[in-house]
């Protein structure tokens, strides 16, 4: 097919889709919510795994050869489908090579020329092609994708898929930080060194975590004000304490019939890395004192007063 016709087809397809993107701070329940949506029969089946594609954070990795950095992208796309996908957008692959040779940044987030880089590198079309090929691979059912960091590029997602629905997970800040610390200890027990860059995201200071939550709070508040019809906040406390009512609300928002989380018909492979994902949402009481000092708890309690009430 002529590439311009292919690009038009992708645009028509993208505007007809209603994918669901799950995002929010790490350790806030994004994986749990992803499981509940992907378990729904209207959606592509990812009940066996919780991949994070980072396709809007690092879209250039979609144009790279197979490697560790785009492994989860390839899981979503289908491991054998990378070449066919890249061949389908070969003009964009070549365009991006040319722009890189001219010195243009591949990174667009936090760049002063964010809009220009996003447009000139045609990242919108790259992602449309990625999801189209993934949709074909996943049985042409409705798409759901989970990458917590995509909270930083919600507007690019909606430029790519105008009818997308964004589910933003939040959680009581102390519980998020305690969960990070607990996961960090587990990684060390499994043999990683404390300075391993792959787990650096788990070892920030409490002060930096609270600054991060404050930035997300502002981002989410702006999204709710600007495009509230496309965004729903799903607090972890609601999801685990009142799963039926919360999922009813989520399913209503994304436009599918309710299914009981205790009556999932799809077969599931146990996910050993997080046993809670193998069950329906349930109350998860966290004793902050097991992971945080009293000074840290007091600091968190004072700072969280400035956050919106959806952090609970």
């Amino acid at each position: 097919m002529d590439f311009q016709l292919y690009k038009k087809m992708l645009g028509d397809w993208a505007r007809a889709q209603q994918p669901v993107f799950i995002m929010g701070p790490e350790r806030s329940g994004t994986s749990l919510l992803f499981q509940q949506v992907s378990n729904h029969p209207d959606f592509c089946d990812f009940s066996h795994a919780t991949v994070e594609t980072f396709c809007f954070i690092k879209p250039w990795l979609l144009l790279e050869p197979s490697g560790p950095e785009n492994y989860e992208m390839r899981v979503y796309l289908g491991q054998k489908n990378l070449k066919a996908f890249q061949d389908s957008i070969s003009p964009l692959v070549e365009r991006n090579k040319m722009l890189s040779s001219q010195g243009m940044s591949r990174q667009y987030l936090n760049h002063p020329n964010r809009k220009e880089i996003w447009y000139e590198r045609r990242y919108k079309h790259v992602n449309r092609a990625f999801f189209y090929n993934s949709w074909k691979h996943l049985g042409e059912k409705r798409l759901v994708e989970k990458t917590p960091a995509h909270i930083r590029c919600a507007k690019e997602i909606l430029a790519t898929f105008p009818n997308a629905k964004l589910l933003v997970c939040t959680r009581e800040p102390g519980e998020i930080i305690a969960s990070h610390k607990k996961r960090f200890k587990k990684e060390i027990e499994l043999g990683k060194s404390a300075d391993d860059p792959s787990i650096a995201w788990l070892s920030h200071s409490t002060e930096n975590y609270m600054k991060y939550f404050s930035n997300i709070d502002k981002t989410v508040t702006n999204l709710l004000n600007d495009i509230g019809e496309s965004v729903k906040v799903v607090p972890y406390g609601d999801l685990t304490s009142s799963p039926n009512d919360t999922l009813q609300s989520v399913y209503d928002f994304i436009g599918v019939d309710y299914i009981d989380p205790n009556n999932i018909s799809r077969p599931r492979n146990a996910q050993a890395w997080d046993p809670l994902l193998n069950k329906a949402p349930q109350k998860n009481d966290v004793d902050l004192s097991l992971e945080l000092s009293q000074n840290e708890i007091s600091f968190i309690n004072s700072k969280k007063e400035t956050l919106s009430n959806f952090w609970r």
Side-chain angles (χ1 to χ4, degrees):
M1 180 185 295
D2 175 87
F3 181 68
Q4 292 304 317
L5 291 177
Y6 181 65
K7 192 166 69 170
K8 181 181 184 305
M9 182 277 293
L10 289 176
D12 293 341
W13 173 82
R15 285 184 285 274
Q17 299 301 303
Q18 290 184 304
V20 172
F21 292 91
I22 298 172
M23 58 191 69
E26 295 82 353
R27 312 303 294 172
S28 65
T30 55
S31 294
L32 182 60
L33 185 58
F34 176 78
Q35 286 294 299
Q36 302 313 306
V37 177
S38 67
N39 280 333
H40 195 286
D42 285 2
F43 283 85
C44 61
D45 184 5
F46 254 100
S47 58
H48 61 289
T50 50
V51 300
E52 298 179 6
T53 70
F54 288 90
C55 59
F56 284 94
I57 295 291
K58 300 178 179 179
W60 60 87
L61 293 178
L62 293 169
L63 310 177
E64 298 290 325
S66 297
E69 285 195 302
N70 62 14
Y71 170 75
E72 292 189 73
M73 292 175 169
R74 289 183 283 114
V75 171
Y76 198 87
L77 177 67
Q79 293 287 3
K80 298 180 180 179
N81 300 330
L82 181 65
K83 184 178 186 304
F85 153 67
Q86 292 178 345
D87 287 347
S88 74
I89 56 169
S90 57
L92 300 186
V93 175
E94 294 305 313
R95 179 184 181 88
N96 274 269
K97 287 180 180 177
M98 177 194 70
L99 292 172
S100 292
S101 70
Q102 294 174 352
M104 176 176 279
S105 170
R106 296 186 304 177
Q107 167 71 38
Y108 73 97
L109 288 173
N110 300 323
H111 196 285
N113 297 327
R114 176 172 179 160
K115 290 183 179 180
E116 178 186 358
I117 295 169
W118 169 263
Y119 173 76
E120 291 296 340
R121 287 190 173 273
R122 304 297 196 263
Y123 283 152
K124 177 175 74 175
H125 305 299
V126 171
N127 270 296
R128 282 178 174 172
F130 168 67
F131 280 101
Y132 175 74
N133 281 269
S134 299
W135 175 73
K136 301 288 283 188
H137 164 64
L138 294 168
E140 300 188 8
K141 287 197 167 187
R142 193 168 169 189
L143 291 165
V144 55
E145 190 274 351
K146 190 250 341 179
T147 300
H150 279 166
I151 189 63
R152 299 167 57 199
C153 39
K155 292 189 176 180
E156 282 83 8
I157 290 174
L158 288 169
T160 306
F161 291 100
N163 295 311
K165 295 293 187 180
L166 311 184
L167 298 177
V168 180
C169 294
T170 57
R171 188 178 183 181
E172 197 281 323
E175 292 187 6
I176 297 180
I177 298 171
S179 181
H180 276 74
K181 289 179 177 290
K182 185 177 179 179
R183 174 75 180 275
F184 183 78
K185 288 180 182 177
K186 185 175 181 180
E187 295 288 349
I188 299 301
E189 290 170 0
L190 291 173
K192 291 187 177 179
S193 63
D195 57 357
D196 188 321
S198 70
I199 58 173
W201 63 281
L202 291 167
S203 59
H204 296 297
S205 68
T206 298
E207 291 80 3
N208 283 339
Y209 278 123
M210 293 308 296
K211 288 178 183 178
Y212 173 55
F213 300 152
S214 179
N215 288 334
I216 290 182
D217 185 83
K218 293 173 184 175
T219 297
V220 175
T221 299
N222 289 335
L223 289 174
L224 290 171
N225 289 334
D226 296 344
I227 48 173
E229 69 283 357
S230 300
V231 180
K232 180 176 181 60
V233 176
V234 185
Y236 180 81
D238 291 351
L239 181 61
T240 56
S241 298
S242 306
N244 293 330
D245 290 343
T246 303
L247 288 174
Q248 176 74 70
S249 176
V250 167
Y251 291 148
D252 286 346
F253 176 73
I254 62 180
V256 296
D257 294 333
Y258 173 77
I259 58 169
D260 187 331
N262 292 294
N263 188 28
I264 299 300
S265 60
R266 283 182 168 175
R268 301 179 59 131
N269 293 328
Q271 300 192 55
W273 66 278
D274 193 340
L276 289 177
L277 297 180
N278 301 319
K279 305 174 183 178
Q282 55 191 284
K283 184 70 174 176
N284 181 25
D285 292 320
V286 178
D287 184 350
L288 299 185
S289 66
L290 295 177
E291 306 294 341
L292 303 172
S293 69
Q294 189 55 53
N295 284 340
E296 287 177 309
I297 294 172
S298 297
F299 176 79
I300 292 167
N301 287 337
S302 66
K303 291 296 182 181
K304 74 179 183 182
E305 294 300 317
T306 64
L307 301 178
S308 302
N309 61 9
F310 47 69
W311 297 83
R312 59 181 186 274

